Amino acid sequence: MATPPARTPDYRTAAKTIDHSLLRPELTLQEVADGCALAARYDVASVCVRPADVPLAVEALAGTDVAVGSVIAFPHGSTLTSVKVAEARALVEAGATELDMVVNIGWLRSGLVDRVRDEIAAVVAAADGHLVKVILENAYLDHDQKVAAYRAVEEAGADYVKTSTGFAPGGATLEDVALMRATVSERVKVKCAGGVRTLDALLEMREAGADRSGATATAAILDEYERRFGR
């Protein structure tokens, strides 16, 4: 068994970096329940489930230290602001404590940054103190659009900037995570998603500045940690 490098987190810290993703549209309810059981077994930070699955996840994870999260305007971000606000309220009422919202990507690419900021602020208000993570879908944005978006997220009062949905042509990159971390203040945390499938990828993203990583390969990642470094 290897000794972890000096900057490698301990097992629990590594596990609490992961939001276990259960968002694929074809998942059965049994597969969602099994995914929640896996998340509890590995004691990750949260599950991120489809909106209709929030009550199931809340029941499955009662009494654990795993939060229940869900998504707003996923994966395209183009619903009306009023619908995003209604989704946020409904998800909180159903028991979700973490909300991952997709921004209106077309607005961002059109230069309507103030409109994007105001929409995020409306969702933050509707979330009523629960965590809001804002998905920018970096694969569709140029450098200046990314920086403007990250700043808008912070101005709107959200808790996290997030790289991607995992359903676009590209996912998380180390460069984007580093740019996010360099752009927002320490108050705002960074989440990466899309392509984090190995322990090495998880650790590299964390080193670049990610506080959370969305993952479907949770078991493989944490089993590899235990094989290398123990618990």
Side-chain angles (χ1 to χ4, degrees), residues 16-84:
K16 288 301 185 184
T17 301
I18 295 174
D19 290 343
H20 184 57
S21 179
L22 296 165
L23 294 170
R24 296 201 320 272
E26 77 278 13
L27 291 177
T28 66
L29 295 184
Q30 185 59 56
E31 287 171 323
V32 174
D34 291 344
C36 290
L38 184 150
R41 187 163 67 251
Y42 286 90
D43 195 23
V44 299
S46 78
V47 292
C48 191
V49 298
R50 301 167 305 197
D53 298 328
V54 167
L56 183 161
V58 169
E59 181 176 359
L61 292 165
T64 75
D65 194 30
V66 179
V68 174
S70 191
V71 288
I72 295 170
F74 192 87
H76 297 133
S78 53
T79 54
L80 293 167
T81 299
S82 59
V83 174
K84 292 183 178 181

Side-chain angles (χ1 to χ4, degrees), residues 195-218:
V196 182
R197 299 185 182 93
T198 67
L199 175 62
D200 287 335
L202 181 80
L203 296 177
E204 287 170 357
M205 289 294 180
R206 189 175 185 276
E207 186 70 16
D211 299 281
R212 294 271 193 98
S213 293
T216 57
T218 300

